[in-house]
Amino acid sequence: MGVLEKRKDPMGAAIADFYKNGVAGRLRVMSSMFDEDEIPVEHLFRVFEEMSEIERVALELSRGRCLDVGAGAGCHSLALQDRGVDVCAIDISPLSVETMKHQGVADVRLADFFTDDLREQFDTILMLMNGSGIIGKIDNMPKFFARLKILLAKGGQVLLDSSDLIYLFEDEEGSADIDLAGDYYGEVDYAMQYKNIKGDSFDWLYVDFETLAYHAEACGFVAELIKKGEHYDYLARLSCKNL
Ligand code: SAH
């Protein structure tokens, strides 16, 4: 993995355009599993009042030194800074990182959660807008929790949101047509495009709370369900049992 090249950073290009011009073109999202979709670029610049309840609760629970993982345009980091919370924002998108600097995020770094050495520990690790996405595949759970152990300070917490994609496979009676022997149903592949900038395709994991809690337990963590959203989404807190 590692950080992106600028010529393969469609979301960063969209974010930079919107920041400079107040408007952006279409940020297209392709997947082998879904019809083509778009991310409304202005949504990445939402302020506290425009955020979902899950996001607002996560920000209210953020304390101590915070790490905003996959910070994008920096909306959560800026909201925390406004509240006097000490936050470091990381992202693999060079153009997003540049924009966060322009936006006034005080501590922002071009870094990959999985591979870059951040040389410090955090009381709160924030992972929002399907924060489980960067885990990519269920098989990466042990690697994910191993990274959290390195990055969490004593008594630290991870606040992460995700959705249970089961609704995509349910019929009218509510019974799900999924292949239990196949891959986990929340494993998605995406590729993005903005103007003529195409990104490489990447794995993005949606995980239901029970599955997250199962893997947390197996890796020495506890998962708590903090809040359910309006549509199969939720906010969870992860903490390490022996930290
Ligand atoms: N949290 C922001 C943006 C979410 S989009 C918001 O809620 O608006 C997900 C972001 O994660 C993108 O900016 C992407 O570049 C970043 N990202 C993906 N994989 C990453 C990784 N391994 N380490 C750090 N950032 C990552």
Side-chain angles (χ1 to χ4, degrees):
M1 281 228 342
V3 301
L4 303 176
E5 295 170 56
K6 278 191 185 174
R7 62 182 182 90
K8 286 190 176 180
D9 182 10
M11 188 187 238
I15 283 174
D17 247 12
F18 189 87
Y19 177 72
K20 280 184 210 130
N21 308 317
V23 283
R26 292 169 56 218
L27 177 56
R28 299 165 59 194
V29 183
M30 280 77 77
S31 169
S32 66
M33 292 170 66
F34 308 117
D35 291 338
E36 185 175 320
D37 203 356
E38 271 177 45
I39 296 179
V41 182
E42 70 278 5
H43 179 69
L44 300 167
F45 288 80
R46 60 207 182 278
V47 294
F48 186 80
E49 292 71 26
E50 296 166 331
M51 288 175 189
S52 69
E53 215 179 326
I54 280 182
E55 293 178 303
R56 282 184 270 144
V57 169
L59 293 175
E60 270 152 13
L61 292 172
S62 297
R63 52 169 176 75
R65 173 92 172 128
C66 297
L67 178 68
D68 183 2
V69 178
C75 61
H76 300 113
S77 291
L78 289 168
L80 287 175
Q81 272 182 204
D82 281 352
R83 300 167 151 248
V85 177
D86 182 19
V87 59
C88 169
I90 63 166
D91 207 292
I92 55 171
S93 152
L95 295 167
S96 299
V97 165
E98 275 175 21
T99 304
M100 282 195 267
K101 285 182 187 159
H102 294 312
Q103 288 233 85
V105 179
D107 182 358
V108 40
R109 306 178 200 174
L110 180 63
D112 178 344
F113 170 82
F114 283 102
T115 55
D116 285 296
D117 183 7
L118 297 174
R119 292 164 189 266
E120 60 176 307
Q121 293 183 314
F122 300 89
D123 303 299
T124 299
I125 298 181
L126 207 55
M127 307 183 80
L128 295 177
M129 199 171 155
N130 193 49
S132 66
I134 71 162
I135 304 168
K137 296 246 180 210
I138 285 285
D139 282 354
N140 293 333
M141 283 287 184
K143 205 166 90 184
F144 170 64
F145 284 106
R147 282 301 285 161
L148 292 180
K149 267 186 195 162
I150 292 170
L151 291 170
L152 276 176
K154 196 174 179 332
Q157 59 170 350
V158 181
L159 299 168
L160 166 149
D161 69 347
S162 194
S163 298
D164 184 355
L165 289 195
I166 195 75
Y167 65 88
L168 294 174
F169 305 93
E170 277 172 353
D171 58 23
E172 285 101 78
E173 280 94 55
S175 57
D177 178 22
I178 47 173
D179 175 7
L180 292 173
D183 292 339
Y184 174 65
Y185 61 80
E187 292 181 343
V188 175
D189 64 285
Y190 282 130
M192 292 196 280
Q193 180 168 353
Y194 181 72
K195 296 185 173 167
N196 56 359
I197 305 169
K198 267 188 183 175
D200 289 333
S201 98
F202 57 92
D203 297 322
W204 196 247
L205 179 71
Y206 294 85
V207 65
D208 67 281
F209 178 75
E210 304 308 323
T211 303
L212 177 68
Y214 170 84
H215 289 280
E217 176 70 32
C219 298
F221 278 72
V222 183
E224 281 167 79
L225 183 60
I226 302 281
K227 182 155 188 67
K228 280 191 177 176
E230 282 170 11
H231 192 255
Y232 293 83
D233 52 333
Y234 66 90
L235 176 68
R237 176 175 13 221
L238 304 170
S239 40
C240 186
K241 283 185 191 169
N242 45 26
L243 263 186

